[in-house]
Amino acid sequence: MEILMSILAGVLFMAGTYMVLSRSFIRIIIGTSIISHGAHVLLLTMAGLKTGAPPLLGLEAGTYSDPLPQALILTAIVISFGVTSFFMVLGYRAYKETGTDDTDRLRGTDSYD
Amino acid sequence: MLTALHIAIVAPFIAAVFVPFLYKKLPKIHTGWFVLTIPAILFVYFLQYLPVTSSKQTVTAVWDWIPSLGIHFTAHVDGLGLLFALLITGIGMLVVLYSIYYLSKEREALNNFYTFLLMFMGAMLGVVLSDNLIVLYTFWEITSLSSFLLISYWYEREKSRYGALKSMLITVMGGFSMLVGFVMLYAMTGTFSIQEIIASAGDITSHDLFIPAMLTILLGAFTKSAQFPFHIWLPDAMEAPTPVSAYLHSATMVKAGIYLVARLSPVFAFSGEWMWIVAGFGIVTLFWGSFSAVQQTDLKGILAFSTVSQLGMILSMLGVGAAAIHFDSMDDNLYIGATTAAIFHLINHATFKGSLFMMAGIVDHETGTRDIRRLGGLMTVMPITFTIAVIGSFSMAGLPPFNGFLSKEMFFTAMVDITSFQAFNMDSFGVLFPVVAWVASIFTFIYSMMLVFKTFTGKMQPEKLDVKPHEAPFGMLLSPIILVSLVIVFGFFPNILAYTVIEPAMASILPSLLGEGEQFYVDIYFWHGWTIELYMTMGVIGIGTLLYLSLRKWVAVYDVFPSSLTLNHIYDQTVAGVEKVSSQLTGAYMTSSIRHYLLYIFSFFVVALVFVLFNKDAFSVDGATAPISVYEGVLAAVLVTTALVVMFTRSRLKAIIGLGVLGYTIALFFVIFRAPDLALTQLIIETVSVALFLLCFYHLPQISRKLENMRFRAGNFIVSLAVGLTVTLIGISANSSRLFESIAGFFPEASYDEAGGKNMVNVILVDFRGFDTLLEILVLAIAAAGIFTMIKLRLAGRNDL
């Protein structure tokens, strides 16, 4: 299971990287979202996927799944959401200002020459 | 402890602070008069140490600077340091006096001039009187800096800036190299104190760092003292005002390298490498400088190359003087004479070269040009200047009865004696030294004669001069007159220097030869008898006169060298080439395309991590793994399919919806892996994200209907595949090698008992690790504020701002 999940994380990273390397804003932002997904999957996997009860004491089970990585992922999900939404609006505004969403057309100029 | 000696060293710096105030508040009085008091007082102050050093005493005063690093501002006065201190303050005094008449108080920015000059004077005193290598290095760099400022004094001139930059680049390069050598010395001996290093010199000769330290320090000394091939900055430094050229570039700063060689002779001189390098570079510089000087047409140009040449001469004598250390005592020790000659010539050079520079400045000042092709026949209009030029030049050429004759004779003696030294191949190859020295002396004779006769004899060409020539004011003549008087006094009575100045300085250079209560025997006199040196001098005069008279016929020899092979050309090409290559290199990888930068980052990530994985042999697939159920298999298939669709779809909408599918699939994974809170959050956030994506981009009319301009890029795909594989490998590898048990057992026990909650994840978020949550809230708040700002604050008219 862990090996399969590692492969899945790898696939997500691959897809995310490929998207990030493209030229348009939206694909780059989608790429960063996919990479976040990959990272979350990897976090969960590396903590061990041994099945136990959900981490709720009320269930009174013998073993629970590890709550700490879940807490970490929860934090990470929220932060990546904040960053992604900021990026989205930033990309939107950049498009409005510059009239393009192509990063190759948004190169800086050597104004310090 | 702070002593009067320390204050004397930093006094010029303190005085420099007040110069601008005096310049602004008392504009009626030439600022130079105030400045003049500083070197005058210091000169008198240092004179009182003469009895101390001549009785073999030294004065050391320590002032802690960074005691924890062994760096103390240790002032150390011995024969060598005092000789230089007297030169610096004495010539400094005369140069300030000369500059008062040379620089106009109406037209020039005198505050800058005297501030820089005092800075330089203090730094130079610091160099020669510091016993700590780091402090010495600090002052050394201040001399480079103030020299840079003084060369570019007329900064509106292109050539001044070029010369200043050139000297800066070359001397600072040497300075850095020297610092490396100092650190190596520290590594070998464990101290920065020169006296302590000298005391432990015998232990380090076989150390691995001994030769590297010697070479790096010598590079510093050679660049500063304008030795071949680093001499090229000195002729360009002649763009400085003439008092600066006289002070820095003939009498003091260029001798800092010589000081360093002399000072560290007791450390390094026992090795044959030192002797060959110092003497060899010196003799080559002597020849090349005097040979090049003949070609010059500018008075200061001639003097610059002549300085290069004379510095080479002093250095070669110091190198040859190292032979003396190989003897146990001074009985029958021929080679001590070379050191005597080096010091004597050091003093002589300061006197006649200083006066010659001032003479050139006077000629420039009174005729408007320094070009010898436009000058001539000034003898009758400027008789005093002519006398100064004759005495200075004849002394430089080595003619009796001036002091240059004495030191040149001693120089020949040293060069002839070295051929009989029975070590380091000196007895076979050493014969080159007297031959080269003799040829170089002929050229020295030629340019010295040019200096006098081309300027002052022949026909005057008033039509080529901008102003009508006339004799300079007395104040301007005073300093060179004092200097040429010294030339004559030292010429006729050289022994007034012998035991007051020269002998104590020798004791500093060759300390191992002196026993308790002994002293070197210094006797300089005119008549040696009919010796080989006398014949050599006669040859120099004879052949030199012939060559000078036939100069017109053979001057074409200089055109034989192609200009593309000159050192200046090589320097210019190097500087331009380095600039070009670096800008090409930067241009090649700084493309300002974000895609390229990301490619570099990802590639580096892959290469570094895979290398570490291989290096640590971290591929092991063992360890317990959970079984795969049907649900997980199906979800995995969905995830992979969706990811591929998102990657390769050309439609923007499909990509956004695919991203949503990915998010929901991961939420389902969270369900399977018993993470209800995660699943909840993931579902909600994915929904909101997709909605936002659609809002921002799908509803943009301008771009939403256009298909994505994309095609498959193999390079991107390979990099991303490699990133994915690396992540997978790391995941598997990390899973297989667990180093310690997790703390998972803590939370089920403690959640309810200590925090009173049954939902462990929530207890962790708000109780055990509440800080994370606090800052995560902050992140959201900042993101929200940022979005609000971006939407609301449109600085449409930002051009007006």
Side-chain angles (χ1 to χ4, degrees), chain B residues 283 286-287 411-412 415-416 418-419 429-443 536 540:
Chain B
I283 204 90
L286 166 65
F287 171 73
F411 169 62
F412 283 150
M415 292 296 135
V416 171
I418 197 60
T419 53
F429 294 109
V431 72
L432 286 171
F433 281 102
V435 174
V436 178
W438 186 71
V439 176
S441 298
I442 295 174
F443 283 104
M536 281 168 87
V540 165

Side-chain angles (χ1 to χ4, degrees), chain B residues 562-580:
Chain B
S563 65
S564 58
L565 281 181
T566 58
L567 289 166
N568 272 323
H569 186 77
I570 292 168
Y571 165 83
D572 289 338
Q573 289 301 106
T574 311
V575 171
V578 167
E579 266 177 27
K580 200 171 146 211

Side-chain angles (χ1 to χ4, degrees), chain A residues 1-2 10 14 18 21 24 26-27 37 46 52 55 57 70 74-75 78 92-93 95 97 101 107, chain B residues 591-592 595 626 632 647 652 674 681-682 702-703 708 710 721 728 735 758 760 765 776 790 798:
Chain A
M1 186 72 244
E2 276 85 355
M14 178 189 74
Y18 187 75
L21 288 174
S24 98
I26 184 161
R27 292 179 66 82
H37 287 326
M46 284 162 80
L57 285 175
Q70 295 191 14
L74 199 64
T75 312
V78 175
Y92 170 77
R93 289 289 304 142
Y95 174 77
E97 292 291 328
D101 71 334
R107 297 187 184 197
Chain B
T591 55
S592 72
R595 208 165 60 79
E632 290 148 4
M647 265 173 87
R652 198 179 288 261
R674 315 287 198 277
T681 320
Q682 178 71 21
Q702 296 94 328
I703 55 171
E708 186 64 32
M710 68 156 292
L721 192 65
T728 305
N735 199 50
K758 293 193 172 175
M760 287 183 248
L765 282 174
E776 159 200 344
M790 274 193 293
R798 75 189 116 208

Side-chain angles (χ1 to χ4, degrees), chain B residues 147-442:
Chain B
S147 162
F148 169 81
L149 291 169
L150 284 167
I151 295 168
S152 56
Y153 176 64
W154 288 308
Y155 53 82
E156 67 281 358
R157 297 183 190 169
E158 170 86 40
K159 287 176 86 177
S160 296
R161 299 197 301 270
Y162 172 79
L165 188 64
K166 193 175 189 178
S167 77
M168 185 77 162
L169 284 176
I170 293 176
T171 54
V172 169
M173 176 195 80
F176 267 130
S177 151
M178 191 181 85
L179 180 63
V180 173
F182 287 172
V183 173
M184 287 184 196
L185 274 182
Y186 181 76
M188 286 188 280
T189 60
T191 174
F192 281 123
S193 160
I194 297 172
Q195 295 308 317
E196 287 171 29
I197 289 172
I198 290 173
S200 59
D203 309 334
I204 61 170
T205 38
S206 56
H207 199 284
D208 286 342
L209 287 175
F210 182 74
I211 296 291
M214 181 203 294
L215 294 178
T216 46
I217 291 175
L218 279 181
L219 182 64
F222 286 176
T223 49
K224 197 77 160 181
S225 279
Q227 295 300 297
F228 185 88
F230 309 110
H231 66 273
I232 49 172
W233 66 267
L234 188 62
D236 283 308
M238 291 302 128
E239 294 302 323
T242 301
V244 172
S245 308
Y247 189 39
L248 276 69
H249 306 128
S250 76
T252 53
M253 188 179 87
V254 288
K255 289 187 175 138
I258 287 176
Y259 167 78
L260 196 71
V261 168
R263 178 56 86 194
L264 294 177
S265 276
V267 181
F268 292 113
F270 204 76
S271 66
E273 288 88 350
W274 173 270
M275 196 166 151
W276 269 105
I277 294 172
V278 174
F281 269 88
I283 204 90
V284 169
T285 311
L286 166 65
F287 171 73
W288 188 251
S290 59
F291 181 66
S292 305
V294 177
Q295 188 189 9
Q296 301 299 312
T297 53
D298 177 78
L299 282 181
K300 278 174 85 175
I302 298 175
L303 289 172
F305 277 105
S306 139
T307 302
V308 169
S309 154
Q310 304 276 320
L311 292 170
M313 176 171 159
I314 299 172
L315 206 68
S316 69
M317 288 190 274
L318 280 177
V320 166
I325 295 194
H326 294 266
F327 295 81
D328 288 333
S329 68
M330 34 188 170
D331 308 327
D332 305 325
N333 195 338
L334 282 174
Y335 308 104
I336 292 174
T339 309
T340 316
I343 296 165
F344 187 45
H345 193 69
L346 182 86
I347 302 166
N348 292 346
H349 178 250
T351 55
F352 65 69
K353 192 53 65 69
S355 64
L356 284 175
F357 266 110
M358 290 174 186
M359 177 279 291
I362 291 169
V363 170
D364 186 16
H365 208 264
E366 305 308 332
T367 64
T369 182
R370 299 193 309 252
D371 191 332
I372 52 172
R373 287 166 302 189
R374 291 166 66 191
L375 292 167
L378 296 176
M379 186 163 65
T380 46
V381 281
M382 299 169 79
I384 303 175
T385 317
F386 170 67
T387 315
I388 292 166
V390 166
I391 297 172
S393 300
F394 283 18
S395 176
M396 183 157 77
L399 299 180
F402 306 111
N403 57 5
F405 171 73
L406 300 171
S407 43
K408 180 140 291 183
E409 291 279 283
M410 293 165 74
F411 169 62
F412 283 150
T413 313
M415 292 296 135
V416 171
D417 284 347
I418 197 60
T419 53
S420 58
F421 184 60
Q422 301 292 327
F424 313 130
N425 294 327
M426 274 296 171
D427 42 347
S428 46
F429 294 109
V431 72
L432 286 171
F433 281 102
V435 174
V436 178
W438 186 71
V439 176
S441 298
I442 295 174

Side-chain angles (χ1 to χ4, degrees), chain B residues 603-615 619 726-727 730:
Chain B
S603 309
F604 177 78
F605 167 79
V606 169
V607 169
L609 288 178
V610 171
F611 173 77
V612 171
L613 282 175
F614 267 109
N615 208 22
F619 304 105
T726 314
V727 170
I730 291 170

Side-chain angles (χ1 to χ4, degrees), chain B residues 338-643:
Chain B
T339 309
T340 316
I343 296 165
F344 187 45
H345 193 69
L346 182 86
I347 302 166
N348 292 346
H349 178 250
T351 55
F352 65 69
K353 192 53 65 69
S355 64
L356 284 175
F357 266 110
M358 290 174 186
M359 177 279 291
I362 291 169
V363 170
D364 186 16
H365 208 264
E366 305 308 332
T367 64
T369 182
R370 299 193 309 252
D371 191 332
I372 52 172
R373 287 166 302 189
R374 291 166 66 191
L375 292 167
L378 296 176
M379 186 163 65
T380 46
V381 281
M382 299 169 79
I384 303 175
T385 317
F386 170 67
T387 315
I388 292 166
V390 166
I391 297 172
S393 300
F394 283 18
S395 176
M396 183 157 77
L399 299 180
F402 306 111
N403 57 5
F405 171 73
L406 300 171
S407 43
K408 180 140 291 183
E409 291 279 283
M410 293 165 74
F411 169 62
F412 283 150
T413 313
M415 292 296 135
V416 171
D417 284 347
I418 197 60
T419 53
S420 58
F421 184 60
Q422 301 292 327
F424 313 130
N425 294 327
M426 274 296 171
D427 42 347
S428 46
F429 294 109
V431 72
L432 286 171
F433 281 102
V435 174
V436 178
W438 186 71
V439 176
S441 298
I442 295 174
F443 283 104
T444 307
F445 181 84
I446 297 171
Y447 71 69
S448 302
M449 294 308 116
M450 279 167 61
L451 215 51
V452 178
F453 293 112
K454 298 237 175 200
T455 313
F456 292 100
T457 59
K459 220 168 100 35
M460 191 155 61
Q461 300 154 298
E463 72 283 357
K464 287 187 181 172
L465 301 178
D466 302 331
V467 290
K468 194 175 170 337
H470 53 83
E471 187 59 278
F474 180 70
M476 206 187 244
L477 291 167
L478 190 59
S479 295
I481 287 173
I482 294 173
L483 283 171
V484 292
S485 315
L486 288 175
V487 168
I488 297 172
V489 169
F490 294 159
F492 281 107
F493 311 103
N495 287 322
I496 58 169
L497 291 171
Y499 289 97
T500 47
V501 175
I502 296 177
E503 201 273 334
M506 286 170 67
S508 309
I509 301 175
L510 304 168
S512 62
L513 290 176
L514 279 185
E516 192 65 42
E518 288 183 299
Q519 60 177 7
F520 290 107
Y521 177 67
V522 180
D523 192 17
I524 304 163
Y525 48 91
F526 266 109
W527 183 247
H528 297 262
W530 294 101
T531 54
I532 183 161
E533 299 87 47
L534 194 63
Y535 293 120
M536 281 168 87
T537 303
M538 279 155 47
V540 165
I541 296 170
I543 296 177
T545 313
L546 282 179
L547 282 176
Y548 173 70
L549 294 174
S550 60
L551 188 60
R552 231 176 262 273
K553 295 198 178 69
W554 58 272
V555 79
V557 141
Y558 288 104
D559 301 331
V560 173
F561 302 106
S563 65
S564 58
L565 281 181
T566 58
L567 289 166
N568 272 323
H569 186 77
I570 292 168
Y571 165 83
D572 289 338
Q573 289 301 106
T574 311
V575 171
V578 167
E579 266 177 27
K580 200 171 146 211
V581 167
S582 61
S583 76
Q584 275 174 349
L585 195 69
T586 316
Y589 76 90
M590 297 287 279
T591 55
S592 72
S593 156
I594 187 168
R595 208 165 60 79
H596 292 157
Y597 302 155
L598 285 169
L599 278 175
Y600 307 148
I601 294 170
F602 284 128
S603 309
F604 177 78
F605 167 79
V606 169
V607 169
L609 288 178
V610 171
F611 173 77
V612 171
L613 282 175
F614 267 109
N615 208 22
K616 298 283 173 194
D617 199 18
F619 304 105
S620 55
V621 188
D622 57 345
T625 56
I628 307 174
S629 68
V630 181
Y631 300 118
E632 290 148 4
V634 171
L635 283 178
V638 171
L639 197 75
V640 172
T641 318
T642 322

